[in-house]
Amino acid sequence: MADVAVLGASGFAGALAARLIDRHPFFALEAVTSRSDAGRRLDELYPHHRVDLVLDAYDADELGAIDAAIVAYPHGAAAEVVAELHERGVKVVDLSADFRLRDVATYEATYVEHPHPELISEAVYGLPERYRDEIAQASIVACPGCFPTAAVLALGPLEAEHVVIDAKTGVSGAGRQATETTHFVSVDENVKAYGVGTHRHTPEIEQELGTRVTFVPHLLPLDQGELLTCYFDTGEDVAARLAEAYADEPFIELVDRPPGVRDVRETNFCRIHAHQDGDRAIVFAAIDNLWKGTASQAVQNLNLMFGRPETEGLL
Amino acid sequence: MADVAVLGASGFAGALAARLIDRHPFFALEAVTSRSDAGRRLDELYPHHRVDLVLDAYDADELGAIDAAIVAYPHGAAAEVVAELHERGVKVVDLSADFRLRDVATYEATYVEHPHPELISEAVYGLPERYRDEIAQASIVACPGCFPTAAVLALGPLEAEHVVIDAKTGVSGAGRQATETTHFVSVDENVKAYGVGTHRHTPEIEQELGTRVTFVPHLLPLDQGELLTCYFDTGEDVAARLAEAYADEPFIELVDRPPGVRDVRETNFCRIHAHQDGDRAIVFAAIDNLWKGTASQAVQNLNLMFGRPETEGLL
Amino acid sequence: MADVAVLGASGFAGALAARLIDRHPFFALEAVTSRSDAGRRLDELYPHHRVDLVLDAYDADELGAIDAAIVAYPHGAAAEVVAELHERGVKVVDLSADFRLRDVATYEATYVEHPHPELISEAVYGLPERYRDEIAQASIVACPGCFPTAAVLALGPLEAEHVVIDAKTGVSGAGRQATETTHFVSVDENVKAYGVGTHRHTPEIEQELGTRVTFVPHLLPLDQGELLTCYFDTGEDVAARLAEAYADEPFIELVDRPPGVRDVRETNFCRIHAHQDGDRAIVFAAIDNLWKGTASQAVQNLNLMFGRPETEGLL
Amino acid sequence: MADVAVLGASGFAGALAARLIDRHPFFALEAVTSRSDAGRRLDELYPHHRVDLVLDAYDADELGAIDAAIVAYPHGAAAEVVAELHERGVKVVDLSADFRLRDVATYEATYVEHPHPELISEAVYGLPERYRDEIAQASIVACPGCFPTAAVLALGPLEAEHVVIDAKTGVSGAGRQATETTHFVSVDENVKAYGVGTHRHTPEIEQELGTRVTFVPHLLPLDQGELLTCYFDTGEDVAARLAEAYADEPFIELVDRPPGVRDVRETNFCRIHAHQDGDRAIVFAAIDNLWKGTASQAVQNLNLMFGRPETEGLL
């Protein structure tokens, strides 16, 4: 058994991570913390998760006995906590963007001044299908963004040029905060692009794919789920190449028709379909943004970091 | 032509009232005001209404030339503005609760201290199907709440005892404010009762029906629409009594099957169906909470107050 | 281990039952059958269930080796299959209405001529919270309807008179068949009552409660979930009585605020809240209509019939 | 006044066309016909349209006195009726694909054998923003498909190469027929591509744009609304070019942010936004698929054909 804390468990992703750890055969959920909701019961905020714990304020000293932590803080704030826990020998999976970008200048152009640039080289990009061995050895894992997860799974194994990624996502990706954007009446019976030309996941996708991409996310009237439609030029047989790359992957499902996000709802699966017409190809990738896009992928990473079966607690 | 201002036009109800006045053959939309969004364009906040005006801060002196106003302020704040406009001879339709309850003690037990109790007796309860003649003579009309509108239309003409009103409403009824309650993820795939035993529309319904009611509203994953299922004991033939009462009403539709809220979406109609089994009866009433439940009913009242055809601008 | 077949696994309820059995620690899913979709893969019809089996045509002889069956056939057709399996010594949980009503005349007035009235007395009504011991000994269990499940859990332990049950349900309750009623455009942004005065679950509720009820279901724009708002007169302390009745129940959650159906989505829980004002009381009960309302309750029954822990495979 | 019949008025598009004609200041709705629902009242099928007519079976002889017809039949069947009415001197707006493609071979490769190829050259492609003058003279107008409407409005005035059109549409586009695709439970909480590489609107888009396009539609959980995200290479200033092209168009709204489909719901407007980064550009176009995408565009065409103000009955 290993003891795990989830920091920032009052948000959608942190709360789900807490639930997954709480029911995991190997990990024990030792503590959940929240900056905004300390003192409240987690099962009052998220009845359906049925995690019977009270949210604490974060205090590194009181968390000393834990073996690992999942950090679900906003960027900038996350790095501070990650550094503190790393110092104490705690293995960390960070859900923020703070350790995803290897180039600190790109990070700072995209987000804020980096509080701990010296730790960037310690961190491994937490996409198991790509960095499985490095993750197993890592003490800091930077869990990918939800869009980069699907984009890199769809296109990572491929030669692709002139890449357009049209993304469709549910509202949980916008977080728990109540805003005009997340108001029911704004979303219902609507679909709209956002972050056009400026979305922060673009540099992360480009880092992993090694090519420039046009990336446009759209907000849809559904709670969980993310579909990427990737258009590109290529010289290879896309379906064959994906079949080869993902032959042994437990969480990648190659299918013979366009996937719907319902097919992967509340799972760690990524479902992929390729369509090709000569040198023009389309790859569809569907994930649950809160699961494979965030919280269950964090657990997949933790499984690897502790030498557990990769699928433990996730099927 | 008569010049109309809409005060508090940045909320859902006020914005819709502005749109309805803007396209009305007789009324001209002179000004729209907002306490929170002064300086913003109304068609930026509500593109689909296509009202090409900038929201002003409210200033009674600058509004002096208007003939009428629709006031869409929160309770308490509304009465202040209504008094000021009434003083200047402006006819007012007030969408708040401030002048709906004839008993000031009931008002103050339900809401706040009443800033202008002396005006309560001036105001007419703005349900045209019940107070048509009084409205035509009124200088202050208190537009009914959305639930009371449907409840009184359903049950007003009837003898009913042991009344249970189970209400289902869309999210626009909760207003434009972004809260945990109106967050898409809270509402989507959900249904939940709220305000059980404490909802402020209960005394208003009881005032008009003259009997005690059990009233429970439920929040549904839809934007506009309200359905009331009213259960009661009665000694009369309910369908016959409703048919008689509403024979000449332009906005009441008696139908032979349970109505859906889609049937009345974006209209001023109230659709009613009665089902009876001996002395137990059920009456269903469907309205659009923002239209007949608020903004279009305000225009119906204004039509009466200015001697216009009651349906003008509403069909 | 016990071998189980699910008959009628191409419908929503049968497919979910198949998934739950497929992942159950004690039961093994031996076969899935379908009258309409024999030859198709179950994971093609229901990708998210990930049950890797082909639907067979039903043939009792080929199913001889099974220990138990869950039958998800329409009423009338179900009784034929139940009789055949019962004859062969197979334990059966029947999801249809065929063995729920103890009075054959009531059954035949509500449904069709009963093909096997002689088996009615063999069957136990499969609400574990009410008939736990009898279920453990039964060879035929009649799984309750979704509305009766919630209604009897809400009101079964109580003295209640003048009962009104206002039910709200998601669309999966209407089944997999594509009809005008289940068309997305009919349901979206709508809410409507159906089966007023004629719903077939009424006699089932009345049988278990021993009193006449007014029951009206409403269709809502959500897929899974069912909320019952039960209004009644009573002379007892409702909350205290429920607390006593359900003190040791693993799947009943008594809560201090009105439950939402999201709280119990994809679980076997029933969440109940009581509100009382003198002798008038309201009890809210929320379940997932496909889970506690049908398929997971079937598994709860099977657990009891095979002497397994009641919660096995259901938490 | 001119007398108009709507043929095939029991479908979503035909029913809406009937409503728009019914309330039009110049046109009178003489008859509505239906092959599947003759004898039923239109306001029973579509209560919210409030068109007080009974659907007739189609009989050209009985329709002899009409001046114009809107034909909402499936492809193939439409051409037969169009020919018959044309023969009688009735002006026709055809909502089907039968007269949209100028090349009969392309039509027959995409649809079926063309029953009246001799009439193709008589027909004008009914996109007023592109063929206004020709439409005014036409006796047969082929109303564009919903996707081509938005695509050609977005890209028609531009030089564009390497075009990708990612379309998102509501369910009403799939028609009134109840199928697995239109079942609420299939659509709700889902998003999925369909018709990849085979959608019949592709040749129509390519005909009008004069270039090959990659076109992929996606089905979304909303009833009405269509958003096209168009990615392409260009050498010109896209926003400037669109501003010039659409300076005087009454139904084109160029906006400075990505449009949502809510902005144009239940209107004849097309809202367009351009984003450009060097030679890579993105144009967003939002319409209501049943309005500008079908029925209200039909009325816009009729207005032109009868020399009426183009916006009459549409604002």
Side-chain angles (χ1 to χ4, degrees):
Chain A
M1 294 288 288
D3 291 336
V4 180
V6 175
L7 279 49
S10 58
F12 289 155
L16 176 57
R19 163 183 152 183
L20 293 171
I21 293 296
D22 193 41
R23 304 189 188 172
H24 195 282
F26 178 75
F27 298 114
L29 182 63
E30 273 305 294
V32 286
T33 78
S34 167
R35 301 183 303 174
S36 55
D37 292 278
R40 295 185 68 181
R41 300 184 53 81
L42 194 50
D43 56 9
E44 179 200 321
L45 289 180
Y46 296 94
H48 61 293
H49 285 338
R50 291 182 171 70
V51 174
D52 180 20
L53 284 178
V54 174
L55 291 156
D56 295 322
Y58 167 73
D59 181 332
D61 292 331
E62 298 191 6
L63 289 175
I66 57 173
D67 302 298
I70 295 175
V71 176
Y73 273 28
H75 60 262
E80 305 277 14
V81 175
V82 170
E84 214 166 33
L85 294 168
H86 181 65
E87 176 83 20
R88 281 164 164 80
V90 175
K91 293 186 180 186
V92 181
V93 176
D94 178 23
L95 303 187
S96 87
D98 284 356
F99 298 100
R100 293 178 194 157
L101 296 172
R102 282 184 282 274
D103 180 49
V104 67
T106 304
Y107 175 88
E108 297 191 339
T110 312
Y111 296 95
V112 293
E113 192 181 350
H114 202 298
H116 289 281
E118 77 283 0
L119 287 179
I120 293 177
S121 63
E122 301 276 318
V124 173
Y125 191 74
L127 193 67
E129 290 76 9
R130 201 172 172 86
Y131 299 107
R132 184 166 282 121
D133 296 343
E134 295 87 336
I135 292 165
Q137 306 302 323
S139 55
I140 302 175
V141 167
C143 218
C146 57
F147 293 122
T149 293
V152 179
L153 290 175
L155 299 176
L158 303 173
E159 289 166 20
E161 289 185 0
H162 218 101
V163 177
V164 166
I165 301 175
D166 188 286
K168 294 99 180 157
T169 184
V171 183
S172 58
R176 183 186 158 215
Q177 204 180 348
T179 64
E180 192 177 326
T181 298
T182 59
H183 194 298
F184 184 85
V185 173
S186 302
V187 179
D188 181 54
E189 300 305 313
N190 208 358
V191 53
K192 184 155 54 169
Y194 65 98
V196 181
T198 64
H199 198 282
R200 287 164 163 171
H201 284 177
T202 310
E204 189 182 333
I205 296 170
E206 294 182 338
Q207 165 184 288
E208 293 301 313
L209 295 185
T211 187
R212 216 186 128 205
V213 303
T214 298
F215 168 66
V216 179
H218 300 75
L219 189 65
L220 265 58
L222 46 99
D223 60 353
Q224 286 167 235
E226 194 174 294
L227 177 68
L228 265 59
T229 311
C230 308
Y231 306 85
F232 56 97
D233 296 342
T234 189
E236 61 188 355
D237 180 331
V238 167
R241 186 71 199 85
L242 289 171
E244 186 190 338
Y246 292 137
D248 300 321
E249 285 298 338
F251 291 115
I252 307 292
E253 299 180 322
L254 300 177
V255 290
D256 62 1
R257 68 193 66 183
V261 297
R262 259 195 180 252
D263 302 347
V264 295
R265 186 183 170 91
E266 308 233 319
T267 76
N268 195 53
F269 290 100
C270 177
R271 192 168 265 231
I272 297 176
H273 170 68
H275 175 89
Q276 190 161 10
D277 182 5
D279 61 352
R280 294 288 293 151
I282 310 171
V283 173
F284 302 90
I287 60 170
D288 185 312
N289 55 300
L290 286 183
W291 286 65
K292 180 63 175 169
T294 317
S296 66
Q297 183 151 267
V299 175
Q300 187 183 359
N301 278 306
L302 269 188
N303 282 340
L304 291 169
M305 294 165 83
F306 282 83
R308 306 300 307 168
E310 190 168 337
T311 61
E312 194 174 42
L314 294 174
L315 290 182
Chain B
M1 293 287 289
D3 291 334
V4 180
V6 175
L7 279 50
S10 59
F12 289 155
L16 176 58
R19 164 183 151 184
L20 292 170
I21 294 296
D22 193 40
R23 304 190 189 170
H24 195 282
F26 178 75
F27 299 113
L29 182 63
E30 272 307 292
V32 286
T33 77
S34 167
R35 301 183 303 173
S36 55
D37 293 277
R40 296 184 69 180
R41 300 184 53 81
L42 193 52
D43 57 8
E44 179 199 322
L45 288 181
Y46 297 93
H48 60 294
H49 285 337
R50 289 180 173 72
V51 174
D52 180 20
L53 284 177
V54 173
L55 291 157
D56 294 323
Y58 166 74
D59 181 333
D61 292 331
E62 298 192 6
L63 290 174
I66 57 173
D67 302 297
I70 295 175
V71 176
Y73 274 28
H75 59 262
E80 304 277 13
V81 175
V82 170
E84 214 167 35
L85 294 168
H86 181 66
E87 176 83 22
R88 282 165 164 78
V90 176
K91 294 187 180 185
V92 181
V93 176
D94 179 23
L95 304 187
S96 86
D98 283 357
F99 298 99
R100 293 178 196 159
L101 296 173
R102 283 185 281 274
D103 179 49
V104 68
T106 304
Y107 175 87
E108 297 192 339
T110 313
Y111 296 96
V112 294
E113 192 181 352
H114 202 298
H116 288 282
E118 77 283 0
L119 288 178
I120 292 177
S121 62
E122 301 276 319
V124 173
Y125 191 73
L127 193 67
E129 290 75 8
R130 202 171 171 85
Y131 300 107
R132 184 167 282 120
D133 296 342
E134 296 86 336
I135 292 165
Q137 306 303 323
S139 56
I140 302 176
V141 167
C143 217
C146 55
F147 293 121
T149 293
V152 180
L153 290 175
L155 300 176
L158 302 173
E159 289 166 20
E161 289 184 1
H162 217 102
V163 177
V164 166
I165 302 175
D166 187 286
K168 295 98 180 158
T169 183
V171 183
S172 59
R176 184 187 158 216
Q177 203 181 348
T179 65
E180 192 177 325
T181 297
T182 60
H183 194 299
F184 184 85
V185 173
S186 302
V187 179
D188 181 53
E189 301 305 313
N190 209 358
V191 53
K192 185 156 52 173
Y194 66 97
V196 181
T198 65
H199 198 283
R200 287 163 163 171
H201 284 178
T202 309
E204 188 182 334
I205 296 170
E206 293 181 340
Q207 164 184 289
E208 293 300 313
L209 296 186
T211 186
R212 214 186 129 209
V213 303
T214 299
F215 168 64
V216 180
H218 300 75
L219 188 66
L220 265 57
L222 45 99
D223 60 354
Q224 285 167 236
E226 194 171 293
L227 177 68
L228 264 58
T229 311
C230 309
Y231 306 86
F232 55 99
D233 295 342
T234 190
E236 62 188 354
D237 180 331
V238 169
R241 186 72 199 84
L242 290 171
E244 185 190 338
Y246 293 137
D248 300 321
E249 286 298 337
F251 291 116
I252 308 291
E253 299 179 323
L254 300 178
V255 290
D256 62 1
R257 67 192 68 182
V261 297
R262 260 195 179 252
D263 302 348
V264 294
R265 186 183 170 91
E266 310 232 320
T267 76
N268 194 53
F269 290 101
C270 176
R271 192 167 266 231
I272 296 177
H273 170 68
H275 174 89
Q276 189 161 10
D277 182 6
D279 62 353
R280 295 287 293 149
I282 310 171
V283 173
F284 302 89
I287 61 171
D288 186 313
N289 55 300
L290 287 183
W291 286 65
K292 180 63 174 169
T294 317
S296 67
Q297 182 151 267
V299 175
Q300 187 183 358
N301 279 306
L302 270 188
N303 282 340
L304 290 169
M305 293 165 84
F306 282 83
R308 306 299 306 169
E310 189 169 336
T311 61
E312 194 174 43
L314 294 174
L315 289 181
Chain C
M1 295 288 289
D3 291 335
V4 179
V6 175
L7 278 49
S10 59
F12 289 156
L16 176 57
R19 164 184 150 183
L20 292 170
I21 294 296
D22 192 40
R23 303 189 189 171
H24 195 282
F26 178 76
F27 298 114
L29 183 62
E30 273 306 293
V32 287
T33 77
S34 167
R35 301 184 301 174
S36 55
D37 293 277
R40 295 186 69 180
R41 300 184 53 80
L42 193 51
D43 57 8
E44 180 200 320
L45 288 181
Y46 296 93
H48 59 295
H49 285 337
R50 290 179 171 74
V51 174
D52 180 21
L53 285 177
V54 174
L55 291 156
D56 295 323
Y58 166 73
D59 181 333
D61 293 330
E62 298 191 7
L63 289 175
I66 56 172
D67 301 298
I70 295 175
V71 175
Y73 274 28
H75 59 263
E80 305 276 15
V81 175
V82 170
E84 213 166 34
L85 294 168
H86 181 65
E87 175 85 21
R88 282 165 165 79
V90 175
K91 293 185 182 188
V92 181
V93 176
D94 178 23
L95 304 187
S96 87
D98 283 356
F99 298 100
R100 294 179 195 158
L101 296 172
R102 281 184 283 273
D103 180 51
V104 66
T106 304
Y107 175 88
E108 297 192 339
T110 313
Y111 296 96
V112 293
E113 192 182 351
H114 202 299
H116 288 280
E118 78 283 1
L119 287 179
I120 293 177
S121 62
E122 301 275 318
V124 173
Y125 192 72
L127 193 67
E129 290 75 9
R130 204 172 170 84
Y131 300 106
R132 184 167 282 121
D133 296 343
E134 295 86 337
I135 292 166
Q137 306 303 322
S139 55
I140 301 176
V141 167
C143 218
C146 56
F147 293 121
T149 293
V152 179
L153 290 175
L155 299 176
L158 303 173
E159 290 166 19
E161 290 185 359
H162 218 101
V163 177
V164 166
I165 301 175
D166 187 286
K168 295 96 180 159
T169 184
V171 183
S172 58
R176 183 185 158 215
Q177 203 181 347
T179 65
E180 192 176 325
T181 297
T182 60
H183 194 297
F184 184 86
V185 173
S186 302
V187 179
D188 182 53
E189 302 304 314
N190 209 358
V191 52
K192 185 156 51 170
Y194 65 97
V196 181
T198 63
H199 198 283
R200 289 163 163 172
H201 284 178
T202 309
E204 189 182 334
I205 296 170
E206 294 182 336
Q207 165 183 288
E208 293 301 312
L209 296 184
T211 187
R212 215 187 127 207
V213 303
T214 299
F215 168 65
V216 180
H218 299 76
L219 189 65
L220 265 58
L222 45 100
D223 60 353
Q224 287 168 235
E226 193 172 295
L227 178 68
L228 264 58
T229 310
C230 308
Y231 305 85
F232 55 99
D233 296 341
T234 190
E236 61 187 354
D237 179 331
V238 168
R241 187 71 200 85
L242 289 172
E244 188 190 338
Y246 293 137
D248 300 320
E249 285 297 337
F251 291 116
I252 307 293
E253 298 180 323
L254 300 177
V255 291
D256 62 1
R257 67 192 66 184
V261 297
R262 260 196 178 251
D263 303 347
V264 295
R265 187 184 170 89
E266 310 231 320
T267 75
N268 195 53
F269 290 101
C270 177
R271 191 168 265 230
I272 297 177
H273 170 68
H275 175 90
Q276 189 161 9
D277 183 4
D279 61 352
R280 293 288 294 149
I282 310 171
V283 173
F284 302 91
I287 61 170
D288 185 314
N289 55 299
L290 286 184
W291 286 65
K292 180 63 175 168
T294 317
S296 66
Q297 183 151 268
V299 175
Q300 186 183 359
N301 279 307
L302 269 190
N303 283 339
L304 290 168
M305 294 165 84
F306 281 83
R308 306 300 307 169
E310 190 168 335
T311 61
E312 195 173 44
L314 294 174
L315 291 181
Chain D
M1 293 288 290
D3 292 334
V4 180
V6 176
L7 279 49
S10 59
F12 290 154
L16 176 58
R19 164 183 151 183
L20 292 171
I21 293 297
D22 192 41
R23 303 190 189 171
H24 195 283
F26 178 76
F27 298 113
L29 183 62
E30 272 306 293
V32 287
T33 77
S34 167
R35 303 184 300 172
S36 54
D37 293 277
R40 296 185 68 180
R41 299 185 53 81
L42 193 51
D43 57 9
E44 178 199 321
L45 289 182
Y46 296 93
H48 61 294
H49 285 336
R50 289 179 173 72
V51 174
D52 180 19
L53 284 179
V54 173
L55 291 157
D56 294 323
Y58 166 74
D59 180 333
D61 292 330
E62 299 192 5
L63 290 174
I66 57 173
D67 303 296
I70 296 176
V71 176
Y73 273 28
H75 60 262
E80 305 277 14
V81 174
V82 170
E84 215 166 35
L85 294 168
H86 182 66
E87 176 84 22
R88 281 164 164 78
V90 176
K91 294 186 181 187
V92 181
V93 176
D94 177 23
L95 303 187
S96 87
D98 284 356
F99 297 99
R100 294 179 195 158
L101 295 173
R102 282 185 281 274
D103 180 50
V104 68
T106 303
Y107 175 88
E108 297 192 338
T110 312
Y111 297 96
V112 294
E113 192 182 350
H114 201 300
H116 288 281
E118 77 283 2
L119 287 178
I120 293 178
S121 62
E122 301 276 318
V124 173
Y125 191 74
L127 192 67
E129 291 75 9
R130 202 172 172 84
Y131 300 107
R132 183 167 282 120
D133 296 343
E134 295 87 336
I135 292 165
Q137 307 303 323
S139 55
I140 302 175
V141 167
C143 218
C146 56
F147 293 121
T149 292
V152 179
L153 290 174
L155 299 176
L158 303 173
E159 290 166 18
E161 289 185 359
H162 218 102
V163 177
V164 166
I165 301 175
D166 187 286
K168 294 98 181 158
T169 185
V171 183
S172 58
R176 184 186 158 215
Q177 203 181 350
T179 64
E180 191 177 326
T181 297
T182 60
H183 194 297
F184 184 84
V185 173
S186 302
V187 179
D188 180 54
E189 301 305 313
N190 208 358
V191 51
K192 184 155 55 171
Y194 65 97
V196 181
T198 64
H199 198 283
R200 287 163 164 171
H201 284 177
T202 309
E204 188 181 335
I205 297 170
E206 293 182 337
Q207 164 184 288
E208 292 301 312
L209 296 185
T211 185
R212 215 187 128 207
V213 303
T214 299
F215 168 65
V216 179
H218 299 76
L219 189 65
L220 264 58
L222 45 99
D223 59 354
Q224 285 168 236
E226 193 172 295
L227 177 69
L228 264 59
T229 310
C230 308
Y231 305 86
F232 55 98
D233 296 341
T234 189
E236 62 188 355
D237 180 330
V238 168
R241 188 71 200 82
L242 289 171
E244 188 190 338
Y246 292 137
D248 300 320
E249 285 297 337
F251 291 117
I252 307 291
E253 299 180 323
L254 299 178
V255 290
D256 62 1
R257 67 192 65 184
V261 296
R262 259 196 180 252
D263 303 346
V264 295
R265 185 182 171 92
E266 309 232 321
T267 76
N268 195 51
F269 290 100
C270 176
R271 192 167 265 231
I272 297 177
H273 169 67
H275 174 89
Q276 189 161 10
D277 182 6
D279 62 352
R280 295 286 294 148
I282 310 171
V283 173
F284 302 90
I287 61 171
D288 186 313
N289 55 299
L290 286 184
W291 286 65
K292 180 63 175 168
T294 316
S296 67
Q297 183 151 267
V299 175
Q300 187 182 359
N301 279 307
L302 270 189
N303 282 340
L304 290 169
M305 294 165 83
F306 281 83
R308 306 300 306 169
E310 189 169 337
T311 61
E312 194 174 44
L314 294 174
L315 290 182

